[in-house]
Amino acid sequence: MRSTTPVDVAEFIGLSHPQDCNWSSGVSFAYDGGLFVTPSVDGWVLICGRDLPPFSESALAQVETRLSLFSERFAEAQVFATHRVVEYHVWARARDGVMTRGFGYVGESGVTLFDQGFDDKEASLGFEFIDMNDVPTEEELDAADWPSEEAVMEVARVWSICPVDLAERTSPGVGLAGKHSTFFAET
């Protein structure tokens, strides 16, 4: 979310037992099932966690509800999620309490979870995804782009901060790590 204060974000999500930590410790903690609220990077604070929603069964509702709440508080919020094994890819953005763009896809089952709104910056990437729910023709299938982890990162890059680019940067500061959050526990 657009913020310069990790403490504000951690308090908003109800991060349990927050502890100061550096980037290396925070990312490791997130991979081990915890949450890491990063230091501010170019006016953005990220929440990292392996088990954060959205989950495929109700991805649109989870994305829309949470992003709306985040963006009411922080003006703008975004979500980027990807899982290579099942080809699960989600990106969405909200401003001032309203989701302006959202896309979700599960390649393993060939299901487009949602495709709402429009964004000029995303459109500039030239993706030509098709909605598998509409039973595309063979020609459409041959010409289509497929959502991927790389697509998620490209959208993140044009909207704000791409997580994979952070490894190339020196990002000083301290973030907060915690075991869970009441905000993400809600359904």
Side-chain angles (χ1 to χ4, degrees):
M1 56 270 347
R2 193 170 283 286
S3 177
T4 57
T5 313
V7 171
D8 289 349
V9 174
E11 287 175 358
F12 185 77
I13 66 169
L15 187 66
S16 72
H17 306 3
Q19 300 293 315
D20 290 348
C21 67
N22 63 25
W23 279 88
S24 178
S25 297
V27 170
S28 292
F29 194 74
Y31 271 104
D32 288 339
L35 296 176
F36 176 47
V37 178
T38 71
S40 179
V41 179
D42 297 338
W44 293 92
V45 171
L46 290 71
I47 303 170
C48 308
R50 182 187 69 202
D51 299 322
L52 289 175
F55 305 112
S56 61
E57 301 84 42
S58 58
L60 177 57
Q62 292 174 358
V63 166
E64 202 162 22
T65 299
R66 287 180 174 91
L67 279 184
S68 294
L69 291 170
F70 270 127
S71 67
E72 284 174 1
R73 169 64 176 85
F74 296 101
E76 184 172 353
Q78 302 170 3
V79 64
F80 303 100
T82 186
H83 190 285
R84 291 180 197 155
V85 175
V86 296
E87 290 297 321
Y88 175 74
H89 309 295
V90 171
W91 58 85
R93 122 191 279 179
R95 291 186 175 132
D96 300 319
V98 177
M99 190 171 89
T100 58
R101 173 65 178 133
F103 182 84
Y105 175 78
V106 181
E108 180 178 68
S109 56
V111 173
T112 301
L113 300 170
F114 56 94
D115 185 358
Q116 295 187 340
F118 178 80
D119 181 87
D120 288 333
K121 288 183 179 181
E122 178 190 336
S124 74
L125 297 172
F127 297 140
E128 294 289 335
F129 302 134
I130 57 174
D131 187 340
M132 292 299 292
N133 302 332
D134 291 338
V135 188
T137 66
E138 194 160 323
E139 293 82 26
E140 290 173 322
L141 286 172
D142 289 341
D145 291 326
W146 297 100
S148 65
E149 183 174 74
E150 292 79 24
V152 174
M153 296 306 137
E154 286 182 53
V155 174
R157 196 170 284 120
V158 298
W159 281 0
S160 58
I161 302 291
C162 177
V164 296
D165 295 345
L166 292 175
E168 302 168 4
R169 300 173 60 161
T170 303
S171 298
V174 173
L176 298 161
K179 277 292 183 190
H180 68 277
S181 157
T182 55
F183 186 83
F184 295 112
E186 299 167 6
T187 55

